[in-house]
Amino acid sequence: MDDPVFIIGIDLGTTNSVVAYTKADTDRFEEARVRIFDVPQTVDAGTVENRPSLPSFVLLPESPDIPEGAIELPWNKAASYAVGEYARTRGEEIPHRLISSSKSWLCNTLVDRKAPILPWTGAGSEKSIPEGKKMSPVEASAAILTHIRDAWNHTMATTEEGIDDRLRMEKQRIYLTVPASFDAVARQLTVTAAEIAGLSHATLLEEPQAAFYAWIGASDGKWRERVSPGDLILVCDVGGGTSDFSLIRVGEEDGDLTLDRIAVGNHLLVGGDNMDLALAYRLSHQLAEQGTRLDTWQMKGLWQSCRRAKERLLSDPDTQSLSVSILGRGSSLIGGTITTELTRQMVDEVLRDGFFPTCARTDKPKAAVRSGIQEFGLSFEADAGITRHLAAFLDRQDDQGEPIRPTTILFNGGVMKAGLLRDRVISVLKAWTANDDIREIDAIDYDLAVARGAAYYGMARQGGGVRIRGGLGRSYYIGIAAAMPAVPGMPALTKALCVAPFGMEEGTVASVPDREFVLVVGQPVSFDFMGSTTRQEDEVGSVLEEWQGDVEAITTIETTLEGEFGQAIPVSLEIEVTEVGTLELYCVSKMDDRKWKLEFNVREQ
């Protein structure tokens, strides 16, 4: 992009989205300041205010649901949906019209994420939105980004003469954050959402790295005094929808400290959403004991109400309890309300003991006892114990064959604002490592750090700032059918070919040396796309004959490659990791100059 005025970091969060920015043409890196962009949004019917975060909620109301002009925006008087604070609060009362957790739906492999399925009402719901008026997870994410773009252009690009084209968000250098555990498909869908919003030049950055960059940027160059060569930094990021773990190793080269991201955890769909739901069920159980039973629609409203009350209790240590109201049965205005109380004691008990239990280092997440038929929806983790997932993440060895022992920890995410939860994680780590010297890095801001860090990273890429060396957070493989005779009663053997190893840097190209494959063109074919966070020594071209257990299926790629029907073409393979961290796999003909690019189109399976 030519001469952008700003570098912008966007944290597209499950619960809240945040925007940070800095000047792109600052002569001295040390003098650049990262600022938070206060996002204009509807906060009440007909009232627009600027807030440091934009709740990641989309409300699809009908005219009876809202007063005339309630969701008008300064830049869009004819808005058909609302994004932000008003969407969240009004959505508590009409939850069947509220889209939440669209980011979590982006990584749900069981649905067509480009199909209009949100708001997700579930089976047996009494209230729903007619077909044709819903959004896909990609469209809902794009709606949030579109609001951010329009809000920026209204605030930052508008002059007395009109819109200054140079200042439009579309013209700036944008860094968009994603969970480190997002696979290539979820990353690409995030890029697609940004493109729909007109942000076609966005570069992706992993959220735990962004949080660490925020700490570096705020240290005024003194971060080197807080860590030393040999330190192993655990980034523990628990947000609204996911829990992310990363390990960053501090090294030294030519007298300078270096940072290497050496491990990334699996995608864990457990976070603030689960906690809000757990609190809602605790309150609904209390109401049931008092003779008041809630239906599915009311439970959704209670879930959203608990979210807001929990956030207030965690951010204000002096508040001991808050009233939580749920609309009564019947009309939203006639049915009355049901009021109960969420106490700090309940929040502490449910969150600390339910989600951060004391456990041994050898403990593992509990496997689900699966029912033959399950209700369809988000694939939440079967075990909500985040500390058990952390134990599984740290169940690996370092270069010397010793157990991984973090020396330092950086917390991020709104959930970790609660001191009792940070204390619990630290106490568990100390018990595992027999190390009382585990240091906690002071987080800059648990809610705003990721966006700040993304903007800092943008400056670092221009030169003058420290970079974390990372690359891909897992090794990627493609299934290769073995050339062997058919055996009765035995399925055809599929081998796993490593096409991109762990740590492969963005913007690099590789090839599979000295190997030739056969590609079938002109007819529908499928490719198994797989990944592993534990196999970090495999190289491009490594072939695994026995891979079950170490390598997990990600998706099946279905496509028809151009060519004569059923023709088998000898090919070599080339791989590119793009600047947005996604994979492009090319099959290069050995017969002529043709080349086929495998598109990772996810279809409902």
Side-chain angles (χ1 to χ4, degrees), residues 41-48 65-72 85-87 89-90:
Q41 59 195 279
T42 304
V43 298
D44 202 351
T47 302
V48 175
D65 296 328
I66 58 172
E68 183 177 355
I71 60 174
E72 288 183 2
E85 182 61 34
Y86 181 69
T89 55
R90 184 68 179 102

Side-chain angles (χ1 to χ4, degrees), residues 13 23 51 91 98 124 167 196 206 218 223 225 252 254 286 330 337 384 400-401 409 422 448 560 576:
K23 285 290 189 71
R51 299 284 177 87
L98 180 67
L167 302 179
I196 293 173
E206 296 172 3
W223 66 274
E225 301 173 6
E252 187 174 17
D254 300 325
Q286 289 185 359
T337 59
Q400 286 72 45
I409 184 167
R422 301 197 304 275
L448 309 180
T560 298
E576 180 177 356

Side-chain angles (χ1 to χ4, degrees), residues 125-429:
S125 175
E126 298 176 1
K127 300 176 181 289
S128 62
I129 290 182
E131 293 299 325
K133 295 189 176 182
K134 293 187 175 185
M135 289 184 176
S136 71
V138 174
E139 289 171 332
S141 299
I144 297 168
L145 290 172
T146 298
H147 182 101
I148 289 173
R149 181 204 67 195
D150 291 343
W152 171 280
N153 291 343
H154 173 75
T155 305
M156 302 290 290
T158 302
T159 67
E160 293 182 358
E161 290 76 25
I163 295 288
D164 185 339
D165 193 61
R166 296 183 313 109
L167 302 179
R168 285 181 178 274
M169 178 171 276
E170 303 95 305
K171 301 292 186 179
Q172 312 314 312
R173 186 168 290 124
I174 296 173
Y175 296 91
L176 181 61
T177 64
V178 292
S181 50
F182 257 22
D183 62 33
V185 176
R187 290 176 183 235
Q188 186 57 55
L189 291 173
T190 305
V191 172
T192 300
E195 291 172 344
I196 293 173
L199 308 179
S200 57
H201 300 289
T203 298
L204 300 189
L205 174 67
E206 296 172 3
E207 290 166 4
Q209 287 196 48
F212 195 76
Y213 277 122
W215 173 70
I216 292 175
S219 70
D220 293 326
K222 298 180 180 178
W223 66 274
R224 294 174 177 83
E225 301 173 6
R226 299 290 309 278
V227 296
S228 305
D231 272 340
L232 191 58
I233 303 166
L234 169 66
V235 182
C236 180
D237 185 356
V238 184
T242 58
S243 292
D244 248 343
F245 305 128
S246 290
L247 284 171
I248 297 173
R249 180 169 53 201
V250 182
E252 187 174 17
E253 291 181 2
D254 300 325
D256 294 326
L257 293 183
T258 61
L259 299 169
D260 291 273
R261 196 278 317 278
I262 64 170
V264 171
N266 292 324
H267 190 72
L268 302 176
L269 206 58
V270 56
D273 283 348
N274 307 69
M275 299 174 191
D276 303 331
L277 188 58
L279 294 171
Y281 273 111
R282 175 71 72 90
L283 289 180
S284 69
H285 181 70
Q286 289 185 359
L287 289 170
E289 290 179 337
Q290 300 166 9
T292 301
R293 295 188 177 276
L294 305 181
D295 59 25
T296 302
W297 181 65
Q298 290 172 312
M299 275 299 301
K300 288 187 176 181
L302 179 58
W303 183 1
Q304 300 299 334
S305 297
C306 283
R307 180 199 309 273
R308 185 167 51 167
K310 177 209 69 180
E311 290 174 354
R312 288 182 59 188
L313 285 169
L314 291 180
S315 61
D316 184 2
D318 296 328
T319 301
Q320 296 303 311
S321 66
L322 288 170
S323 294
V324 175
S325 296
I326 313 104
L327 290 178
R329 299 174 185 272
S331 167
S332 62
L333 296 179
I334 300 174
T337 59
I338 301 166
T339 302
T340 184
E341 190 174 54
L342 183 66
T343 65
R344 175 172 298 279
Q345 180 180 357
M346 180 186 296
V347 171
D348 290 353
E349 290 176 355
V350 171
L351 270 57
R352 180 187 57 205
D353 301 328
F355 291 87
F356 296 88
T358 300
C359 62
R361 180 173 184 139
T362 54
D363 285 352
K364 296 293 182 291
K366 298 176 182 177
V369 179
R370 295 194 174 276
S371 172
I373 298 179
Q374 304 173 40
E375 186 177 28
F376 202 86
L378 284 174
S379 301
F380 291 112
E381 297 299 321
D383 190 340
I386 293 172
T387 42
R388 284 189 287 269
H389 290 286
L390 180 58
F393 170 66
L394 294 176
D395 185 23
R396 61 188 74 208
Q397 296 179 336
D398 61 20
D399 296 338
Q400 286 72 45
E402 297 294 325
I404 289 288
R405 292 189 175 91
T407 60
T408 309
I409 184 167
L410 172 65
F411 291 107
N412 188 61
V415 171
M416 304 315 301
K417 288 189 290 188
L420 83 160
L421 301 184
R422 301 197 304 275
D423 291 343
R424 170 58 63 88
V425 173
I426 291 174
S427 67
V428 168
L429 283 173

